[in-house]
Amino acid sequence: RYAPVNAGAQVQVAKVPGSVNVRTQRLLLLPMSLDVTGRVQSPLGPLKGALLTVRLGDWESTARSDADGRFSAHLDTGLSLTLFGAQQLSVVANPEEPWHETSSAIVNMMVINPVNIGGLVLAVVALALYGVRWMKRRPVYAVAPVARSAPAMMNKESPQRPLLAPQEMAVGPRAVLLAVYKDVLRLVQSMTAVALGPNRTLREFAQECGPRLGPLAGPFRELTLMMEKLLYSRHGAEESEAASGAELGRTLKEGLEREGS
């Protein structure tokens, strides 16, 4: 009397979603460790034995939840190139029961690396100090404009020649060399028409005047090296150097006066 009857219905099968509550500090100083606690649960109750994976940057730690779904993880950090900035702490829970789905939570944190910041500050301070010391050690060549000297005492028998040359009136080897160089410098500038400005070193001035001095370029370069050694080093002039400088000065003056005439 009755025919067979079939009935059907669509049933949606899904895993039970869970949730992770995380409690931890929001500021981390590297390379200090980080303690992360919390609880993992689902609508069916606490998730027992869930595997918790805690990850921050390149560091990772794992923990298991207890019967109440509570967990406690200890994350050890280390040295890093990071100075400071915001990073994300992720906690992923893998339930032990297959009918629960994986759940996760993200916590935004501020990470500061005082070791790298201190090293960077020390490096900047060291570079600044080195720059200051380098600027102090750098020789500054500044020559005052050549001014006309007062009339020298003249010999009655020979009115054209001073009774005392500048190096003879100077006292001490250093004063002798300075007087010789100033006297020669005045003649060189007059003959070559090259001025010794504040942006030109003594050696650069000697090199520029060399082609115009001809055979006198060698003695003038030697006298210039003696002056650089006297002015920009701790070396003090000796009697022998003063005598050698005076001899160079006489040679240069005679040669320059001949060239000028």
Side-chain angles (χ1 to χ4, degrees):
R1 296 175 56 181
Y2 301 101
V5 177
N6 294 325
Q10 290 186 350
V11 179
Q12 183 178 3
V13 179
K15 292 185 177 181
V16 180
S19 62
V20 181
N21 298 322
V22 180
R23 291 187 299 273
T24 186
Q25 62 193 47
R26 297 302 179 96
L27 177 64
L28 176 62
L29 300 179
L30 299 179
M32 298 179 62
S33 59
L34 179 67
D35 291 326
V36 181
T37 60
R39 187 178 184 185
V40 55
Q41 58 185 357
S42 73
L44 301 180
L47 298 180
K48 176 183 177 182
L51 177 63
L52 282 299
T53 302
V54 180
R55 183 179 294 106
L56 176 65
D58 297 332
W59 303 290
E60 183 178 312
S61 178
T62 58
R64 288 281 183 179
S65 60
D66 58 13
D68 294 333
R70 303 181 184 277
F71 66 91
S72 177
H74 184 78
L75 183 64
D76 291 325
T77 63
L79 298 178
S80 173
L81 297 178
T82 302
L83 293 177
F84 62 90
Q87 294 191 19
Q88 290 186 339
L89 173 73
S90 65
V91 180
V92 180
N94 293 303
E96 191 176 33
E97 298 86 357
W99 53 86
H100 286 102
E101 66 179 8
T102 301
S103 55
S104 62
I106 299 295
V107 179
N108 294 320
M109 301 185 60
M110 176 61 68
V111 178
I112 300 176
N113 194 334
V115 177
N116 288 358
I117 294 176
L120 181 61
V121 171
L122 291 178
V124 172
V125 172
L127 288 176
L129 293 177
Y130 176 79
V132 172
R133 293 182 60 184
W134 181 80
M135 292 297 296
K136 288 183 178 179
R137 290 181 179 180
R138 185 180 180 183
V140 178
Y141 304 103
V143 178
V146 178
R148 292 186 177 181
S149 59
M153 298 177 60
M154 308 300 290
N155 192 338
K156 294 181 179 181
E157 299 179 356
S158 178
Q160 300 300 326
R161 183 177 180 182
L163 183 64
L164 292 176
Q167 57 268 29
E168 294 173 345
M169 292 186 290
V171 179
R174 179 183 177 87
V176 169
L177 288 175
L178 289 173
V180 168
Y181 185 77
K182 288 181 179 179
D183 201 11
V184 172
L185 177 63
R186 178 178 56 82
L187 294 174
V188 170
Q189 290 184 123
S190 177
M191 176 182 174
T192 61
V194 178
L196 177 57
N199 296 327
R200 182 179 293 158
T201 64
L202 301 182
R203 189 173 303 183
E204 291 172 350
F205 177 74
Q207 291 176 355
E208 186 171 352
C209 295
R212 307 184 186 185
L213 293 176
L216 298 177
F220 184 61
R221 188 181 301 109
E222 185 176 354
L223 181 61
T224 300
L225 294 178
M226 294 179 63
M227 288 304 302
E228 285 188 339
K229 184 178 180 181
L230 177 67
L231 294 176
Y232 308 117
S233 69
R234 298 181 180 178
H235 174 75
E238 300 179 357
E239 295 291 343
S240 59
E241 293 177 335
S244 178
E247 183 64 27
L248 288 172
R250 281 191 290 270
T251 302
L252 288 167
K253 286 180 63 178
E254 293 174 359
L256 292 171
E257 289 174 353
R258 286 196 304 266
E259 293 290 337
S261 62

